Amino acid sequence: MNIQTQVKRRHFLIGSAGTVAAAAVGGPAIAQDASEPLPDYVAWKDPDDFIVHSKQTLETKRAVQGTELITPSNELYIRNNLPAPSDDIVADRDAWEIEIDGVGNPGTVTLGELKKIGVETVVCVLQCSGNGRAFFDHETSGSQWSVGAAGNVVWTGVPVRAVIDAMGGAADGTAFLTGTGGEEIPEGLPPETIQVERSVPKAAMEQAILAWDMNGEPMPLAHGGPLRLVVPGYYGVNNVKYLKRLALTEDESPNKIQQTSYRVRPVGVSGDPSQPSMYEMNVKSWITGPLVDAETGKVQVHGVAMGGVSALEKVEVSIDGGQTWAAAQFLGPDLGPYAWRPFVLITELAEGTHVLASRATNVAGDTQPEKFPPNERGYGNNGWGVHAVDVTVG
């Protein structure tokens, strides 16, 4: 692999004293200036941990991800299609109401009532469909995410299947699970053009939960509190925030975000319902940093990996741009098939420049490819080649 052609990687310089310096390349976003406060609704997060794309899109820095088993809430990325509602909606969380349709006994229930139906905890990756978009060669609209639009999160709530059962079971002829968000629709705009409403295949309700806690605390407003639909293994757009309606439906939502947005199509082609929707995540991994032991000169090459909708089987690491591979070691316990797993390979690097890459494989036999084909909106990029890092040892 020609190192000079990989212009969209991150570049590291490891000095003889064991220090690491890094600089981001290939994207219009800039690191947040700690002297500038974050928007009010995310003021509780540390600005030093983020790259700010806009008030509604904050990317976690690659180095911050490190080898974290669980992403702390104050380090988790932000991606909102619409401005967050007023924090008035979390003043009395248990009073939040949600409409349930497409069942034997449709009706409205409160969050407090949902808590009496059942409870489960699931650990799963939350990842924006465009994570990795900055690594495509063609120009794409949307935030130029590198690897920081992802995190591993603990969600607690009621299983959707239990709610459906409690409401009389699924109505006949339904094929989709449809969630509608409670964001305020700007006056004068037709709701279907901007309202967040996503439909996923009905089978997804077997894993889905209506979550009210995130990482052991009440769901923050910035991440969808008081109630969020969580569909393990599915891209973030399907995990609808501020959930106001949950329905089993015969057809997909008619809204733009379902019909034409988040559709995978060739570059230059408009979106339409016949194209694949951004549903299930693919297998993926990336390097989050080299660490240097100044006494031995050995380097820890570490990162994170996910299997998508299947558990991980292995992660391999290359220090020569994919010419040879070595098995990495998983760090920490396995938190389930939808969670990511940190990994590490301890190796020695000779003086010079090396291309460090990782390649994940899940139990279904899917292996991360070297290259991922371009698409109009820059979705789903899991190519290990562009996610690699160049490291200079000197």
Side-chain angles (χ1 to χ4, degrees):
M1 181 179 294
N2 186 341
I3 293 173
Q4 298 303 316
T5 64
Q6 302 301 312
V7 296
K8 287 196 173 184
R9 292 205 194 99
R10 289 180 180 252
H11 301 269
F12 294 82
L13 173 64
I14 302 180
S16 59
T19 59
V20 178
V25 297
I30 59 173
Q32 172 73 14
D33 184 345
S35 65
E36 298 179 10
L38 293 173
D40 288 345
Y41 76 107
V42 287
W44 49 277
K45 293 179 181 279
D46 186 345
D48 290 336
D49 292 339
F50 295 96
I51 299 167
V52 177
H53 296 273
S54 73
K55 289 184 177 180
Q56 293 171 205
T57 50
L58 279 67
E59 176 174 358
T60 309
K61 293 178 182 178
R62 183 189 287 236
V64 171
Q65 293 173 327
T67 56
E68 291 177 337
L69 190 62
I70 297 298
T71 304
S73 299
N74 62 355
E75 295 177 6
L76 185 63
Y77 80 100
I78 290 289
R79 169 68 175 104
N80 287 334
N81 283 283
L82 290 171
S86 164
D87 59 7
D88 291 344
I89 69 172
V90 293
D92 184 359
R93 292 171 178 268
D94 283 355
W96 179 260
E97 293 183 336
I98 176 174
E99 181 183 353
I100 310 293
D101 286 325
V103 293
N105 301 304
T108 299
V109 296
T110 66
L111 175 51
E113 291 169 334
L114 286 175
K115 290 179 178 179
K116 299 174 184 178
I117 294 175
V119 62
E120 282 186 5
T121 292
V122 62
V123 181
C124 66
V125 173
L126 182 68
Q127 180 180 209
C128 180
S129 303
N131 200 34
R133 177 182 286 139
F135 300 129
F136 284 111
D137 290 331
H138 69 288
E139 291 188 12
T140 56
S141 61
S143 300
Q144 296 299 301
W145 307 109
S146 57
V147 299
N152 199 37
V153 183
V154 181
W155 310 95
T156 298
V158 60
V160 168
R161 62 184 183 278
V163 176
I164 300 302
D165 287 345
M167 302 293 286
D172 293 338
T174 55
F176 295 93
L177 178 68
T178 299
T180 307
E183 295 97 335
E184 183 176 347
I185 305 300
E187 189 174 350
L189 289 178
E192 66 271 14
T193 65
I194 195 168
Q195 183 183 48
V196 178
E197 182 176 85
R198 286 286 293 180
S199 301
V200 298
K202 181 180 176 181
M205 78 176 192
E206 294 302 316
Q207 291 78 42
I209 67 171
L210 305 185
W212 53 72
D213 277 4
M214 185 177 100
N215 288 343
E217 298 179 343
M219 184 79 67
L221 178 74
H223 292 291
L227 190 67
R228 179 172 190 166
L229 173 63
V230 173
V231 187
Y234 279 57
Y235 283 102
V237 67
N238 304 290
N239 295 258
V240 178
K241 304 181 185 74
Y242 322 111
L243 192 69
K244 286 297 291 181
R245 179 176 181 264
L246 185 73
L248 292 174
T249 57
E250 294 182 8
D251 301 309
E252 296 182 26
S253 169
N255 288 11
K256 178 182 177 182
I257 197 172
Q258 181 76 32
Q259 294 294 312
T260 60
S261 300
Y262 294 92
R263 297 283 178 173
V264 182
R265 69 264 194 183
V267 176
V269 174
S270 298
D272 71 63
S274 70
Q275 300 153 348
S277 190
M278 290 303 291
Y279 284 152
E280 297 179 349
M281 291 188 287
N282 51 22
V283 62
K284 188 172 183 178
S285 69
W286 58 87
I287 302 295
T288 58
L291 298 177
V292 174
D293 184 330
E295 294 182 1
T296 67
K298 288 187 176 180
V299 174
Q300 288 187 14
V301 180
H302 56 73
V304 294
M306 63 193 74
V309 292
S310 298
L312 280 167
E313 179 179 296
K314 64 180 180 179
V315 176
E316 301 162 287
V317 170
S318 175
I319 62 173
D320 53 19
Q323 296 179 53
T324 61
W325 297 89
Q329 169 191 344
F330 287 124
L331 295 175
D334 183 350
L335 297 179
Y338 307 110
W340 79 20
R341 300 203 67 182
F343 63 85
V344 65
L345 175 72
I346 299 177
T347 187
E348 291 195 30
L349 299 180
E351 185 173 344
T353 299
H354 306 264
V355 179
L356 308 184
S358 61
R359 182 176 68 182
T361 299
N362 64 22
V363 296
D366 303 314
T367 297
Q368 199 174 345
E370 179 180 0
K371 297 180 180 179
F372 187 82
N375 61 81
E376 171 65 16
R377 294 300 304 275
Y379 291 143
N381 192 348
N382 70 337
W384 61 256
V386 291
H387 282 79
V389 294
D390 296 349
V391 175
T392 300
V393 178

